[in-house]
Amino acid sequence: MWIVGIIAASLATTLLILLLKGGIKLVGAVVGAVLSAVIEAIGLVISGVIWAVAGIAVGVILAAKFLYRKITTRRTDVDDDDTYDWMKAAQLHDE
């Protein structure tokens, strides 16, 4: 928080110097640029938060889907090796 205080103090000092040297028009231009940058930064932060929440939501949904499949899927009675044994036997019989 003290960093924000230092930035505000330096900005106030800069505006005072600009007011003494260049007048109110220059101070208005600097204030406008600073406010524009602050508004854009707030928009970027909000956009980042929205993307982060969306990413977390997708991760939670995929994890829940994976766990659901893991819990509800049962092993079959027939093994993969057993499935093809009759084919091998039939092929040997044909030869």
Side-chain angles (χ1 to χ4, degrees):
M1 202 64 188
W2 56 273
I3 294 174
V4 175
I6 291 173
I7 292 171
S10 67
L11 187 60
T13 305
T14 303
L15 288 176
L16 182 63
I17 292 171
L18 287 174
L19 182 60
L20 293 174
K21 287 192 169 194
I24 196 72
K25 192 172 186 178
L26 185 59
V27 172
V30 170
V31 169
V34 169
L35 285 178
S36 174
V38 167
I39 290 170
E40 186 175 349
I42 290 171
L44 288 173
V45 167
I46 291 172
S47 172
V49 168
I50 289 171
W51 278 105
V53 168
I56 290 170
V58 167
V60 167
I61 290 169
L62 289 176
K65 190 176 175 182
F66 172 76
L67 285 174
Y68 176 76
R69 284 187 179 167
K70 196 76 168 167
I71 291 170
T72 59
T73 303
R74 296 183 183 152
R75 274 189 79 70
T76 58
D77 296 332
V78 180
D79 227 2
D80 284 341
D81 296 332
D82 294 337
T83 305
Y84 298 105
D85 281 346
W86 65 271
M87 289 179 159
K88 292 176 188 172
Q91 186 179 12
L92 288 174
H93 180 62
D94 289 341
E95 291 176 357

